[in-house]
Amino acid sequence: MLRQYARQFVQKLVRRRPLEPREESESRRAPLSILRLVLLGVGRTLGAGVYVLAGVTVMFITGPAIIISFLVVALSSVLSGLCYAELWAWVPRSGSAYLYSYVTMGELCAFVIGWDLLLYLVAAASCVTRAWSYTFDSLIGNHISQALERTFSPHTPSFLAPYPDFISLGLVLLMTGLLVRGARVTTLIFKVSTGLNLFVPIFMILSGVIKGDLHNWQLTEQDYSLNTSGSSSTFRSGGLGPLGSGGFVPFGFEGILQGAAILFTSYFDVHAIVTAGKQAPNPQRSIPLSMVISIFIGFLAYSGVSAALTLMVPYYQIHPYSPLLQAFLHVGWASAKYAIAVVFLCTLLYSLLGSMFPMFQLICIMADDGLLFRSLTQINPPIMAIMASGILTGFMASLLRILDLVKLMSAGVLPAYTLMAVSILVLRYQPDKNLSKNEKIEEEIEISDHEASPSEPVPEAGTSSILKTLWYPTSPTPTRKSGQIVYGCAFLLVLLLTILSLILAQRPSQVFSGDPVLTTVAVLLLLLITGATVIIWRQPQNTSPLYFRVGDLMCPECPP
């Protein structure tokens, strides 16, 4: 009885959502060229919020080496985007990673990815709101922040922001009211925001060429002493402190990786190319090419702005929350500060609306699927879902520091992309699955009849037979048993890699210095990871043709 309950529980966790029939209007749209896909990807990638991320990351995590972090992020984003494109190819329908994972992998994976995406969207909207507040406050001389800090800072816990940001709260409530009234991001607003977002990096790069100083990439501790108060609390022994050790890479290789983990969110919206790519005449070529071009343009813009910023201002003097505005003040271009501030205020409003709109949409979808309270979608329009997203965003934006919000964004995006990549690994080794509602019911009936057939011989369940199946599959094509083996090994891989990552993140020096316990555990984890990977590699793959498949970018026989 207990075994039956456990089996039913596991079946519910991997239960897949049936795909609704395709609407006729969805397939009758004008084809998109590579140029239009690139413009879409650049418009989604060049968000105004990343310039706030750059200030926080440069000052506290990477220093001028943020350029290398952006390069690491660009390469990783290309690989992750291609995995997302193949996940879409299994379900060629407009939607999000939540929908694709629910249709292909099941309820547990969709639940995790859905909540990760909600965390990212809430943190992104809160971060953008906080940045808008800092920009507005800097235009009026920081009087609001100074007054609030004097009033609330002595009574505020250390894990919260020094003062509650009422400007952010009011802005979120205003945007929530606009969403309740039916506000939408129109094509005109998208084009204007894209143009403004292209203007900022071009103007910033030119400013860095004119006012930059290469000495700011070669700073030493003596430079710190000349430009700071020189208090002994600023540095720890050995010359390393909150400001790093100087030079182009003041925080070392660890800082570059930490910066890349945070900046990964800057390329998250490039997956819009994948959703729109089905309208291209040749998706298997248009999707990867437009995605690579968009990410490359984003890398040039982000790295160019960061290089100009760190050349204009020593990285330890960069304002973490409004870096570009303070950089123009530092070089004596006060008029440019106000021009950029006006552009920021406009583009940040668009970014905020662009984050809150998909947030309440995702809440509605998850509520309809039963993964959130169904009462959130009982009213049409979904006022409860919009109010819930607005209240949560306003609460986080008014109380949390922007650095904490940036870390929450990273904590939401990275697990979602990781699970999408694992989903591709699992799907490639599964037998053909019909995802439509009617075909799925027929498939379940066939499986139940197949299991109930008394004439089929039952294979031996011995240990040697199981091990032989792991290394020598019984069929050249994927079967239900081989698919279950891959599913289990993939789950084990995620678990082992998570444990190994925690060990390397928390105790890296002990592992690499030869600590007997931690080094042994790390080696055992690596052996288990290798074994699970080899078992997956030995299983037969699904060779069904797809719109797009990673590794088969030049396939001329893919279906249209």
Side-chain angles (χ1 to χ4, degrees), residues 186-198 346-347 350:
T186 63
T187 304
L188 178 61
I189 295 177
F190 175 76
K191 291 180 179 178
V192 172
S193 178
T194 302
L196 292 176
N197 282 332
L198 288 173
C346 296
T347 54
Y350 163 77

Side-chain angles (χ1 to χ4, degrees), residues 50 52-74 76-77 249 251-267 302 306 403 406-407 409-411 414:
V50 73
V52 182
L53 299 182
V56 175
T57 308
V58 166
M59 184 169 185
F60 298 114
I61 301 175
T62 63
I66 187 175
I67 301 172
I68 304 177
S69 297
F70 271 123
L71 178 60
V72 175
V73 170
S76 303
S77 298
V249 190
F251 299 94
F253 182 71
E254 181 180 355
I256 293 176
L257 292 183
Q258 289 182 2
I262 290 178
L263 297 171
F264 192 82
T265 58
S266 57
Y267 294 101
Y302 293 152
S306 302
L403 181 59
V406 168
K407 292 180 179 179
M409 291 171 58
S410 176
L414 292 176

Side-chain angles (χ1 to χ4, degrees), residues 41-56:
V42 172
R44 295 297 185 90
T45 302
L46 289 182
V50 73
Y51 305 120
V52 182
L53 299 182
V56 175

Side-chain angles (χ1 to χ4, degrees), residues 261-420:
I262 290 178
L263 297 171
F264 192 82
T265 58
S266 57
Y267 294 101
F268 178 74
D269 289 334
V270 77
H271 67 260
I273 293 178
V274 176
T275 305
K278 65 173 184 176
Q279 303 174 36
N282 189 7
Q284 65 271 17
R285 178 177 179 269
S286 301
I287 289 177
L289 186 58
S290 57
M291 185 179 299
V292 170
I293 294 175
S294 300
I295 292 177
F296 179 71
I297 295 175
F299 165 71
L300 293 180
Y302 293 152
S303 59
V305 169
S306 302
L309 180 64
T310 52
L311 287 174
M312 294 168 65
V313 186
Y315 72 90
Y316 58 86
Q317 292 183 348
I318 290 175
H319 194 283
Y321 307 133
S322 56
L324 302 191
L325 305 184
Q326 300 301 323
F328 288 114
L329 279 182
H330 185 84
V331 297
W333 286 8
S335 58
K337 168 193 172 181
Y338 293 102
I340 293 297
V342 172
V343 174
F344 267 14
L345 293 178
C346 296
T347 54
L348 286 174
L349 285 178
Y350 163 77
S351 298
L352 177 59
L353 187 61
S355 297
M356 294 188 65
F357 185 72
M359 186 195 313
F360 87 82
Q361 283 188 322
L362 181 58
I363 290 177
C364 293
I365 296 173
M366 294 181 67
D368 289 336
D369 293 335
L371 300 183
L372 283 175
F373 300 108
R374 294 187 183 273
S375 58
L376 293 173
T377 58
Q378 289 180 352
I379 303 176
N380 191 18
I383 298 177
M384 295 298 295
I386 297 174
M387 294 297 296
S389 61
I391 291 174
L392 184 58
T393 301
F395 176 78
M396 294 181 63
S398 59
L399 295 181
L400 295 182
R401 293 171 294 188
I402 196 169
L403 181 59
D404 296 330
L405 293 172
V406 168
K407 292 180 179 179
L408 285 176
M409 291 171 58
S410 176
V413 168
L414 292 176
Y417 265 121
T418 302
L419 283 179
M420 283 190 289

